[in-house]
Amino acid sequence: MLAASLASVVLFTTASRAEQLPSTAPPTVVVHRGDTLWDVAARVFPGQDIRAAVDELRRANDLRGFGVREGQLLILPTAQ
């Protein structure tokens, strides 16, 4: 009976871990030298309304202004 109880605990723990999806990092882009937020938005969202793309980038990265700097890593908004 003790062995059966231990086996149940092991199986339950293993099953619980299997249900957890591995976390993946969100897609990102690195700001190049001389880039503006509009340059990045145009590059990663070609064909989209540039103002909306800039707003999405600002929201996803909690940017208060419009400035970015070389080497800055920006999180790309994902469709929800």
Side-chain angles (χ1 to χ4, degrees), residues 3-74:
S5 295
L6 287 175
S8 295
V9 169
V10 169
L11 288 175
F12 176 75
T13 303
T14 305
S16 295
R17 287 186 189 151
E19 291 174 10
Q20 296 173 356
L21 297 176
S23 105
T24 58
T28 58
V29 64
V30 176
V31 177
H32 298 156
R33 182 179 205 163
D35 272 349
T36 66
L37 198 52
W38 285 267
D39 295 329
V40 174
R43 187 169 69 236
V44 298
F45 301 113
Q48 288 190 20
D49 175 21
I50 193 73
R51 291 167 296 181
V54 167
D55 286 343
E56 287 181 36
L57 280 171
R58 288 181 67 213
R59 207 173 6 263
N61 291 279
D62 196 28
L63 299 175
R64 306 236 185 281
F66 293 90
V68 291
R69 62 188 182 287
E70 179 182 1
Q72 184 174 355
L73 190 65
L74 296 175

